[in-house]
């Protein structure tokens, strides 16, 4: 296969990778940075798939490449979920705390703890933990362990379902 053909296959399927990454990120309520990571892994996998594709096989390129691209994205997703496993409830709480902190930038830490406690109607200890978590970029799962309540974190079952499912047509992905 020629270099121009490879480049054309990649360009023609760039949007499919974006749509697949977007679908996974939305399913798992991932942050934008995690979505970008999925997207990058998908693009790299798309390039790898284009190098091994046989255009004489009679199979459309995306049909051939989709499984490999999806598998690489799911491997990255598993890594992301292992390093930052956080419940949707806690994620919302941290988002609220970040807004409170930005609105009260002049306040010191003890004042912020009190403000967060009052607004979210939680204890000062929980407010302090949320303040700490809201300032971190990425945190290991151990640091979140005390905050996760009643198993609200991401489940591996969703990952397995995604892995077992067939790739959608590009038109379905774009919807």
């Amino acid at each position: 296969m020629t270099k121009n053909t490879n480049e054309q296959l990649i360009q023609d399927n760039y949007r499919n990778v974006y749509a697949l990454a977007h679908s996974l990120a939305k399913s798992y309520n991932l942050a934008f940075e995690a979505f970008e990571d999925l997207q990058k892994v998908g693009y790299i996998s798309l390039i790898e798939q284009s190098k091994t594709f046989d255009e004489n096989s009679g199979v459309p390129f995306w049909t051939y490449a989709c499984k490999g691209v999806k598998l690489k994205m799911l491997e990255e997703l598993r890594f992301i979920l292992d390093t930052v496993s956080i419940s949707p409830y806690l994620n919302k709480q941290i988002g609220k705390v970040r807004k409170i902190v930005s609105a009260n930038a002049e306040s010191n830490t003890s004042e912020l703890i009190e403000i967060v406690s009052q607004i979210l109607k939680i204890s000062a200890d929980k407010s302090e933990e949320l303040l700490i978590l809201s300032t971190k970029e990425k945190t290991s799962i151990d640091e979140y362990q005390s905050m996760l309540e009643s198993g609200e974190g991401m489940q591996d079952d969703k990952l397995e379902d995604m892995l077992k499912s067939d790739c959608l047509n590009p038109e379905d992905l774009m919807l």
Side-chain angles (χ1 to χ4, degrees):
M1 188 180 296
T2 66
K3 185 176 179 179
N4 288 338
T5 308
N6 275 357
E7 290 174 5
Q8 189 62 42
L9 287 173
I10 293 166
Q11 287 178 349
D12 291 347
N13 290 281
Y14 223 62
R15 287 181 153 212
N16 295 338
V17 173
Y18 174 87
L20 187 57
H22 185 269
S23 174
L24 287 171
K26 190 174 180 182
S27 295
Y28 286 90
N29 194 23
L30 297 178
F32 183 72
E33 293 81 18
F35 163 69
E36 285 182 325
D37 291 345
L38 283 179
Q39 204 175 351
K40 288 174 188 172
V41 166
Y43 292 146
I44 291 168
S45 180
L46 183 69
I47 292 167
E48 291 170 356
Q49 297 295 324
S50 74
K51 291 177 182 175
T52 59
F53 178 64
D54 179 16
E55 57 188 16
N56 297 325
S57 67
V59 175
F61 175 68
W62 181 245
T63 303
Y64 169 80
C66 183
K67 290 258 187 207
V69 170
K70 189 174 185 179
L71 184 62
K72 290 293 185 181
M73 284 183 172
L74 289 172
E75 287 173 5
E76 180 67 15
L77 182 62
R78 187 175 299 276
F79 173 76
I80 290 167
L81 294 178
D82 284 346
T83 55
V84 183
S85 182
I86 184 169
S87 72
Y89 171 76
L90 182 56
N91 197 19
K92 285 181 183 176
Q93 294 290 78
I94 290 172
K96 289 177 185 177
V97 170
R98 286 185 177 141
K99 288 178 183 174
I100 293 168
V101 168
S102 66
N104 298 287
E106 291 86 37
S107 302
N108 63 33
T109 305
S110 59
E111 291 172 341
L112 283 172
I113 291 171
E114 189 173 322
I115 293 168
V116 169
S117 296
Q118 290 173 355
I119 293 174
L120 298 180
K121 296 179 177 43
I122 56 176
S123 69
D125 291 341
K126 289 283 186 188
S127 296
E128 188 174 5
E129 286 181 47
L130 283 172
L131 277 169
I132 291 168
L133 290 175
S134 70
T135 60
K136 295 190 177 202
E137 294 279 326
K138 287 198 174 187
T139 308
S140 71
I141 192 169
D142 296 333
E143 293 181 56
Y144 284 118
Q145 201 63 38
S146 66
M147 298 295 292
L148 295 174
E149 298 172 352
S150 69
E152 289 182 42
M154 299 297 174
Q155 301 296 321
D156 278 345
D157 299 345
K158 268 180 117 177
L159 260 180
E160 295 304 319
D161 291 343
M162 294 290 286
L163 187 56
K164 289 177 186 174
S165 69
D166 291 330
C167 283
L168 299 171
N169 293 329
E171 293 81 25
D172 294 337
L173 284 172
M174 295 309 287
L175 295 176

